[in-house]
């Protein structure tokens, strides 16, 4: 028990990018230098890459093992970190019910029951960045679409800043790089039983950062990709992606009712000009996508008539 506390405390101290001497760590944590040395060795054995120049320690830029301490240090946010959990959206719901503050972020290295839209599963092996943010917005349940669209733009901006890749948004919540999905977003609104208003919302994001060790599963191997063609991008890259995302999203979120992200969303629309299929009232339709409305709906043209879609799934014709 005591040992794991020292380990967490040491991680907290050495993930800030500056070398910390063994002596300073020992006195800060009230333990012997030998205890520090042993804890650092345990962390190394656990896969953390710690440089140890001149008797000091720092989590090296080459470190590939993500941890909550580093995510907290880089983002400054209230991070709840899981090596693996069923679903970070579910973790945030539990925290919300306990009264946790807005913008608490649950992050997992892997999920065993990641949830996607339309009741689907979201494949969440190691290599991705899976996180959920607790929001307590003054919005109506129908306005949750604004959260999803702001999150999509924020993730595009984060990817462009960190990975230097151009992103498109496939309405409403998928981020594409060169015709392949790299990120999905699931916003869940939880309603207040009495008022029927929004009690809180959970914004869940799953980003394929590195390639999964065994590859993507057969259901998505032709349609999914990751930002980097490596099995393990440095942990600092994950931290920078989350940090950029949160800063960007917070900026949009303060005026979320007015959809300040709309122009940026429209500019990135993947479906514009594409032939699409969708199902409405149990009937399959074929149409051409022609833009995004002022409310974030998809505008499609079918038999010469413009139709607005506010929910549901749209597929590019001939693309499963
Ligand atoms: C989709 O593409 O259908 C949406 C996928 C959303 C996945 C993320 S991963 C983090 C959070 N936890 C979940 O269970 N789902 C979301």
């Amino acid at each position: 028990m005591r040992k794991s506390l020292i380990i967490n405390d040491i991680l907290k101290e050495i993930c800030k990018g500056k070398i910390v001497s063994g002596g300073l760590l020992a006195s800060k944590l009230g333990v012997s230098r030998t205890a520090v040395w042993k804890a650092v060795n345990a962390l190394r054995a656990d896969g953390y890459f710690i440089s140890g120049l001149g008797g000091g320690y720092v989590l090296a830029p080459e470190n590939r093992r993500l941890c909550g301490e580093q995510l907290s240090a880089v983002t400054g946010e209230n991070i709840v970190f899981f090596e693996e959990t069923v679903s970070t959206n579910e973790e945030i719901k539990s925290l919300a019910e306990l009264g946790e503050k807005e913008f608490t972020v649950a992050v997992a290295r892997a999920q065993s029951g990641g949830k996607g839209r339309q009741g689907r599963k979201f494949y969440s092996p190691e290599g991705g960045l899976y996180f959920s943010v607790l929001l307590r917005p003054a919005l109506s349940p129908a306005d949750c679409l604004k959260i999803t669209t702001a999150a999509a733009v924020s993730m595009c901006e984060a990817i462009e800043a960190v990975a230097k890749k151009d992103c498109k948004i496939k309405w409403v919540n998928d981020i594409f790089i060169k015709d392949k999905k790299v990120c999905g977003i699931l916003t869940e609104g939880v309603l207040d039983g009495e008022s029927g208003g929004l009690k809180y919302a959970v914004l869940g994001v799953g980003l394929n950062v590195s390639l999964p060790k065994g590859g993507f599963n057969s259901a998505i191997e032709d349609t999914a990709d990751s930002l980097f063609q490596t099995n393990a991008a440095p942990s600092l890259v994950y931290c920078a992606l989350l940090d950029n995302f949160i800063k960007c999203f917070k900026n949009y979120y303060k005026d979320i009712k007015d959809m300040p992200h709309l122009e940026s969303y429209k500019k990135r629309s993947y479906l514009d000009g594409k032939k699409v299929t969708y199902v409405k009232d149990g009937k399959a339709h074929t149409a051409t996508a022609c833009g995004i409305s002022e409310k974030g709906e998809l505008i499609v043209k079918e038999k010469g008539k413009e139709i607005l879609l506010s929910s549901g799934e749209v597929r590019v014709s001939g693309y499963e």
Side-chain angles (χ1 to χ4, degrees):
M1 182 66 182
R2 181 75 190 126
K3 188 176 169 224
S4 75
L5 275 182
I6 296 176
I7 283 179
N8 289 345
D9 288 346
I10 286 180
L11 262 181
K12 218 179 267 172
E13 297 298 329
I14 65 171
C15 67
K16 297 172 188 160
K18 281 196 187 133
I19 298 175
V20 192
S21 76
L24 185 62
L25 281 172
S27 69
K28 257 194 166 178
L29 307 181
V31 297
S32 68
R33 289 186 69 148
T34 312
V36 168
W37 178 79
K38 277 188 182 163
V40 167
N41 281 348
L43 283 166
R44 285 178 172 145
D46 208 17
Y48 293 96
F49 198 117
I50 298 169
S51 334
L53 289 175
Y57 303 105
V58 65
L59 198 62
E62 307 90 296
N63 176 61
R64 280 164 163 74
R65 177 149 193 167
L66 189 61
C67 62
E69 287 78 4
Q70 192 179 23
L71 284 163
S72 302
V74 173
T75 63
E77 298 295 338
N78 181 27
I79 304 278
V80 184
F81 183 76
F82 301 88
E83 287 293 328
E84 176 169 327
T85 185
V86 176
S87 156
T88 54
N89 270 27
E90 293 309 309
E91 296 291 355
I92 283 295
K93 282 182 203 164
S94 308
L95 291 166
E97 296 297 337
L98 292 171
E100 195 56 85
K101 63 178 181 187
E102 186 169 46
F103 271 101
T104 293
V105 188
V107 184
R109 269 159 55 90
Q111 298 180 119
S112 55
K115 301 196 307 179
R117 286 179 79 231
Q118 318 271 330
R120 282 194 293 258
K121 281 204 152 194
F122 188 76
Y123 183 57
S124 316
E126 242 182 69
L129 175 62
Y130 312 107
F131 66 92
S132 304
V133 186
L134 171 56
L135 300 171
R136 300 187 185 277
L139 287 178
S140 69
D143 272 349
C144 279
L145 186 66
K146 294 182 178 177
I147 296 175
T148 303
T149 49
V153 172
S154 305
M155 189 43 94
C156 286
E157 292 186 17
I159 293 170
E160 283 158 11
V162 176
K164 317 276 178 241
K165 305 216 164 146
D166 286 337
C167 304
K168 292 273 180 201
I169 303 167
K170 176 179 169 282
W171 185 87
V172 57
N173 67 330
D174 289 341
I175 297 178
F176 273 49
I177 294 180
K178 291 193 180 142
D179 296 321
K180 296 219 168 165
K181 176 170 169 174
V182 295
C183 178
I185 298 167
L186 173 68
T187 307
E188 295 186 87
V190 175
L191 304 186
D192 181 276
E194 277 174 29
S195 68
L198 198 61
K199 195 167 154 200
Y200 58 86
V202 182
L203 165 63
V205 181
L207 173 66
N208 304 330
V209 180
S210 310
L211 287 170
K213 288 228 168 75
F216 289 104
N217 69 19
S218 56
I220 57 169
E221 65 185 352
D222 294 334
T223 53
D225 204 353
S226 57
L227 296 188
F228 302 102
Q229 303 307 307
T230 162
N231 287 135
S235 58
L236 263 179
V237 168
Y238 289 74
C239 295
L241 285 162
L242 184 63
D243 188 40
N244 274 266
F245 170 83
I246 291 180
K247 293 210 161 65
C248 198
F249 180 74
K250 275 188 167 173
N251 201 30
Y252 290 131
Y253 184 69
K254 56 184 165 51
D255 301 313
I256 191 79
K257 268 193 186 146
D258 307 331
M259 296 189 77
H261 57 280
L262 187 65
E263 286 316 307
S264 193
Y265 188 95
K266 285 181 178 175
K267 196 177 78 186
R268 291 188 165 86
S269 176
Y270 175 75
L271 292 175
D272 281 10
K274 290 195 168 62
K275 209 167 175 201
V276 296
T277 56
Y278 66 95
V279 176
K280 200 172 179 187
D281 302 327
K283 206 178 146 221
H285 296 255
T286 302
T288 303
C290 49
I292 303 292
S293 78
E294 292 309 298
K295 287 186 181 162
E297 301 142 310
L298 182 71
I299 310 169
V300 297
K301 213 169 214 176
E302 198 173 340
K303 295 179 190 137
K305 220 174 103 191
E306 275 194 1
I307 294 163
L308 296 176
L309 302 179
S310 58
S311 62
E313 172 120 324
V314 167
R315 288 172 187 269
V316 178
S317 291
Y319 186 93
E320 280 318 301

